[in-house]
Amino acid sequence: MPLAPAPRPLLPLWAAVVASVAGGLILTLAFPALAWWPMAFPAVVLALLSLIGRSAWASLLVGFAFGASFFFVNLVFTARYLGPVPWIALSMLEAVITAAGAVPITLAYRWMPRVLPGRIGRLVLLPLLVAGLWTLREQIVGSWPYGGFPWGRIGITQASSPLAHLASWVGVSGLTFLMVLFCAAAIEYARVARFRAPLTAVPTVLVALLLVIVPQFPTSPAGTLRVGAVQGNGPAGYFDERSADSVLNAQLEATAPLFGEEMDVLLWPEGGVDSDPTTDTSTARVLDALAERIDAPLLISAVTSRGDEYFNSSLLWIAGEGATQTYDKRHPVPFGEYVPDRPFFEPFAPDLIGLIQREYSPGVAPPFFDLEGVGVGLAICFDVIYDDVIWDGARAGAQVYMFQTNNADFRGTDENLQQLAFARMRAIETGRSVVNLSTVGTSQVIAADGTTIDGLPAGEAGQMLTDVPLWSGLTPAVIAGEWVKMLLGWGSLVALVAVGIAVRLRRRGHAKTPAPEGTGVSD
């Protein structure tokens, strides 16, 4: 069977670059603070249209234009206190990886129609392959280098949308896949049928129905937990002026209105204790007195040391017993909590690298506490953006999540709202309530369906006392999430390689076919 001709570019290169830049900028509108979630769809369409028919080198340029326009805007909060260097470095890195990930998508558009030019190949298999390769690109951005930074995931744009419920079935990566699949299927319907053959719209319509009508996977109610949560609004940032224990004192002051109230646990945010209570006896006495005063365990966070290592830790503190359970942050932030390859990077930005004196070690303990028979899943700050932390907590028996974070270095930006979107999506994905508590806000108690139960505004000290619903049972996303990611991402890469081999074999076979007798030529 002869090969079909390679597709021609839909846009001249200059227009493709413009469309990619527009797509990246439009995508930023889908993320908080604006959170105009429908804008994710035209952004993906523009990005894909720009890649069709391109050469590999041109797709690098087009992919970089999309990645740079998105990340330089989406990650601008990183320049809030540290200046342009980390912002430019991180945005450029993510844009370069995005550009590299555009090449496989371009190859899918080039190869699949040549091997399977019929309607099934164009309307079904090609969109599936394109969506899988986009998902793979997100996974690479989120895992490499140094553990990656899975921040700008398409699925997270839907945290407050009617489509978020799908995350309980397929996880955030699966939601990304389905969104891109819809966009890619719609593009092929327009290209193949040109809106004139209604039956050819069936694949696009089916994906749209899947996005809209599948309900959230149900989990089972398991009672309630009365949680006191305190946002102290203390000087918890790198550049905040502070004296010894000033963050601790701010937390104590904001906790005082809860004295006399009944609760099952008192939650403080990341860095709410600015000395190590496991080694500082004075701090330990303060926490013991607080736990006795409220007659409940404390779930606090502090930097702890063991030998020569430092950890960003969550501690379950019981009066007279101290820290009975400890979870250490699994994903310390590169260039924020430790410096990978410090001798290499320090000459490029010695002042900034010099700010990071401690090298935090990654934790290995499960992100889970047993709170007098109630399972509590944990995540510290950017831990929340990593799937493994969330899923491991649920598998360990979490009935509720408590996320501790410190957003003080990003005051006045939308970073806290973007992180809150992750917390909201994690609630839906796992079918669990989430208490997301920040030092400076925004703090919220989020129901298992993503709605807000309670909250505190940013930049103010305050406290919440909330009867938080508990839930049991695992969602498909938790049970099979890793397999879904592997199938969609790496499975798509395997499929692309197979299609590429088929193109090569057919091209070689076609070149060897002798010309009809008497023509004197060959194809």
Side-chain angles (χ1 to χ4, degrees):
M1 181 178 177
L3 279 171
R8 303 170 73 84
L10 298 184
L11 301 170
L13 182 57
W14 68 266
V17 172
V18 171
S20 291
V21 170
L25 294 175
I26 290 171
L27 183 57
T28 65
L29 303 178
F31 286 86
L34 292 175
W36 295 347
W37 60 265
M39 303 308 292
F41 292 93
V44 172
V45 168
L46 286 171
L48 294 179
L49 288 174
S50 302
L51 293 174
I52 295 174
R54 301 255 81 90
S55 68
W57 287 110
S59 68
L60 280 172
L61 174 62
V62 170
F64 180 81
F66 175 76
S69 60
F70 170 67
F71 285 110
F72 269 93
V73 176
N74 184 253
L75 299 178
V76 70
F77 62 81
T78 59
R80 176 67 175 87
Y81 286 105
L82 298 177
V85 173
W87 168 53
I88 293 172
L90 180 57
S91 300
M92 282 292 292
L93 174 63
E94 305 293 70
V96 168
I97 299 174
T98 300
V103 176
I105 297 173
T106 295
L107 294 177
Y109 275 118
R110 181 190 302 175
W111 290 343
M112 181 67 82
R114 304 191 74 187
V115 176
L116 296 170
R119 288 189 171 180
I120 295 296
R122 291 287 301 276
L123 297 172
V124 179
L125 299 181
L126 177 58
L128 285 170
L129 182 57
V130 167
L133 293 170
W134 185 299
T135 306
L136 174 63
R137 179 171 67 178
E138 274 197 358
Q139 292 175 14
I140 294 172
V141 169
S143 60
W144 183 87
Y146 307 123
F149 189 59
W151 190 260
R153 301 166 74 177
I154 298 292
I156 293 298
T157 63
Q158 306 304 297
S160 298
S161 90
L163 311 184
H165 55 272
L166 276 168
S168 65
W169 294 89
V170 294
V172 177
S173 289
L175 181 54
T176 290
F177 172 82
L178 291 171
M179 292 171 64
V180 178
L181 177 60
F182 172 75
C183 295
I187 289 171
E188 291 310 298
Y189 169 62
R191 293 177 68 204
V192 173
R194 301 184 185 278
F195 304 105
R196 291 196 294 266
L199 285 179
T200 59
V202 169
T204 305
V205 172
L206 288 177
V207 178
L209 290 175
L210 183 64
L211 285 168
V212 173
I213 68 174
V214 176
Q216 182 178 358
F217 186 86
T219 48
S220 302
T224 61
L225 186 74
R226 193 164 178 81
V227 180
V230 178
Q231 175 180 297
N233 199 40
Y238 263 119
F239 300 103
D240 290 345
E241 294 185 7
R242 68 176 91 176
S243 55
D245 293 328
S246 55
V247 179
L248 172 63
N249 291 332
Q251 286 293 136
L252 289 169
E253 183 177 350
T255 301
L258 293 178
F259 292 163
E261 300 284 352
E262 292 187 4
M263 67 189 78
D264 297 311
V265 64
L266 176 66
L267 177 66
W268 278 8
E270 177 189 23
V273 179
D274 42 1
S275 54
D276 182 356
T278 65
T279 59
D280 188 313
T281 55
S282 175
T283 302
R285 285 194 297 270
V286 170
L287 296 177
D288 279 342
L290 176 61
E292 289 176 358
R293 178 75 181 267
I294 64 171
D295 192 26
L298 312 179
L299 207 166
I300 59 172
S301 173
V303 176
T304 63
S305 61
R306 272 152 267 163
D308 295 331
E309 293 186 291
Y310 290 94
F311 300 89
N312 188 348
S313 303
S314 291
L315 307 171
L316 186 63
W317 193 276
I318 296 178
E321 300 180 35
T324 60
Q325 298 176 59
T326 301
Y327 165 70
D328 302 315
K329 187 176 183 179
R330 184 176 292 181
H331 295 279
V333 179
F335 305 101
E337 293 175 309
Y338 77 103
V339 181
D341 301 317
R342 183 184 284 264
F344 174 79
F345 288 107
E346 192 157 27
F348 295 100
D351 292 339
L352 290 176
I353 298 297
L355 290 172
I356 306 166
Q357 296 296 321
R358 289 172 173 166
E359 295 278 343
Y360 291 87
S361 298
V364 295
F368 175 84
F369 285 165
D370 183 335
L371 180 62
E372 299 180 352
V374 174
V376 178
L378 304 165
I380 302 176
C381 200
F382 284 173
D383 261 354
V384 73
I385 70 179
Y386 293 92
D387 295 335
D388 63 297
V389 176
I390 306 305
W391 296 341
D392 284 356
R395 292 167 186 155
Q399 297 167 284
V400 63
Y401 282 99
M402 297 187 187
F403 298 159
Q404 299 163 293
T405 183
N406 176 14
N407 306 105
D409 286 318
F410 307 111
R411 292 177 191 260
T413 73
D414 57 12
E415 180 272 343
N416 68 313
L417 297 178
Q418 290 192 44
Q419 188 174 331
L420 187 64
F422 271 95
R424 192 175 312 282
M425 186 61 82
R426 297 311 191 181
I428 298 167
E429 181 183 35
T430 61
R432 300 289 191 274
S433 304
V434 167
V435 184
N436 187 81
L437 184 65
S438 171
T439 48
V440 299
T442 303
S443 299
Q444 286 188 358
V445 180
I446 303 168
D449 63 358
T451 56
T452 302
I453 298 174
D454 204 349
L456 295 168
E460 299 178 13
Q463 57 289 132
M464 298 180 286
L465 186 61
T466 314
D467 291 314
V468 181
L470 304 176
W471 300 89
S472 64
L474 299 180
T475 64
V478 172
I479 295 171
E482 289 293 347
W483 291 101
V484 170
K485 290 173 68 174
M486 187 178 300
L487 176 64
L488 295 180
W490 298 108
S492 298
L493 185 60
V494 171
L496 178 67
V497 171
V499 172
I501 291 172
V503 169
R504 185 174 182 85
L505 292 176
R506 288 194 182 185
R507 185 186 296 134
R508 181 180 300 173
H510 188 53
K512 291 180 178 179
T513 301
E517 188 175 349
T519 62
V521 297
S522 62
D523 271 320

